[in-house]
Amino acid sequence: MSMLKGTRLALALGLSTLAAAPMAAEAADELKPVVFSLDFIPLGRHAPWYAAVEEGFFAEEGLDVTIIPSQGTAQVMQAIASGTAQFGFVDLPGVVLAQAGGTDIEMISVNYQKSPYAIFSLANGGDVQDIAQIEGLSLGSGAGSITPKVIGGFMSQNGLSASSLEIVNVAPPARASALLSGQVPAIEFFVMAKPGLEKAAKEAGTELRTFLLADNGLELYSNGIGALGSYLDENPDVAEGFVRAAMRGWKFTLDNPEKAADHIVKNVDGLDHDVVLAEIEVVRNLAVTDDVKEHGLGWFSPEKMKTGVEFVIDNVGVDGTAPEAGSIYRSEFLPEPAILP
């Protein structure tokens, strides 16, 4: 597992003399500590958050941001609900499920305009390149994963039989080998796994096929910044500053991927610079859409939010009271003027 070496921004940027030390200490006292939880261990896809720290964007908003890892959506939600983190990289399905369970987490930006759900196969295996090929497919997935439910809902929307999808229980660490060895004709993973799988397929003498649901009609927002509604009520200026600095980090990363890769590699042990660059390009496809080019990074449509909430309720299902779409998000913390990619 990659381990964090350091996630806090040095507060005395550019101050090299001993005489400046008291001034640096005074500046440090004025910064408000904030914890941000990733959705997983730090990987190349998370470069924008580290860029925002290292480039001083959070500090310019008066924030001293610490980035912590997690082991998935549920853990991010727990960190936010318990106050361990003030902000987290949450996804829309997770927020719907959390609110249904009584946890008042709201989204204040959407960074992945496209959902990262992908079906991977090999040219000499499942060779999935069209939606019709999903019907009757044997798919390596994990017990408890909501992804098969998302895929099933996507199939139903397109007139296919969701019940025809055969789920083969394969733990995430074993999925790549199960695919490459032919144990299963296809697996599901987030699309960020594409660079590694593509390399492995090439070494095995074949080609990887990537079927990204979002590029084939799935209208479902995914990850963005989330926080407790009560925290947002009490700290609107912090939330506004955090989102603005984060979106600047995203813009910096998209404009300067090499430098952004340097920043995260500096902070996280075990990351490969080239793999980080490849993941940045994958998330670029998720983050930069025509809507974002027009309205700015982090922007979202209330109509598409409503569509996404209804999709989750209808296809993933909720325990408890299904939330109204309007309770899932707040848009007042998005930057003005918008930060365009």
Side-chain angles (χ1 to χ4, degrees), residues 72-91:
T73 298
Q75 199 172 91
V76 180
M77 301 296 179
Q78 290 170 2
I80 296 172
S82 67
T84 300
Q86 286 70 53
F87 300 98
F89 198 40
V90 301
D91 63 11

Side-chain angles (χ1 to χ4, degrees), residues 22-40:
M23 187 181 300
E26 183 178 345
D29 291 339
E30 294 174 357
L31 294 180
K32 183 178 179 65
V34 170
V35 176
F36 174 69
S37 175
L38 300 175
D39 58 328
F40 200 52

Side-chain angles (χ1 to χ4, degrees), residues 1-4 40-43 69-71 268-270:
M1 175 186 293
S2 300
M3 297 296 293
L4 294 176
F40 200 52
I41 60 172
L43 297 168
S70 78
Q71 287 293 336
V268 182
D269 285 333

Side-chain angles (χ1 to χ4, degrees), residues 36 49 87-92 95 106-113 221-227 232 239 242-244 246-247 250 296-301 305 328-335:
F36 174 69
W49 311 103
F87 300 98
F89 198 40
V90 301
D91 63 11
L92 177 58
V95 172
E106 301 176 46
M107 297 190 76
I108 55 177
S109 79
V110 172
N111 297 93
Y112 294 169
Q113 299 283 313
Y221 284 138
S222 185
N223 289 62
I225 300 169
L232 297 173
F242 185 91
V243 175
R244 180 166 46 243
M247 296 311 103
W250 274 83
L297 291 160
W299 180 87
F300 51 85
S301 156
M305 274 287 191
I328 294 294
Y329 63 87
R330 296 195 199 183
S331 59
E332 64 262 34
F333 303 110
L334 292 171

Side-chain angles (χ1 to χ4, degrees), residues 158-208:
N158 287 274
L160 303 176
S161 171
S163 62
S164 71
L165 185 67
E166 180 189 356
I167 302 301
V168 180
N169 188 21
V170 182
R175 279 184 217 165
S177 59
L179 177 66
L180 292 165
S181 65
Q183 295 177 43
V184 289
I187 59 173
E188 60 90 353
F189 252 147
F190 287 159
V191 72
M192 288 76 96
K194 180 180 177 180
L197 289 172
E198 211 162 41
K199 180 180 178 183
K202 185 176 181 180
E203 291 172 350
T206 185
E207 292 183 14
L208 184 73

Side-chain angles (χ1 to χ4, degrees), residues 288-301:
V288 181
T289 62
D290 289 342
D291 281 343
V292 167
K293 291 175 183 176
E294 179 179 356
H295 299 288
L297 291 160
W299 180 87
F300 51 85
S301 156

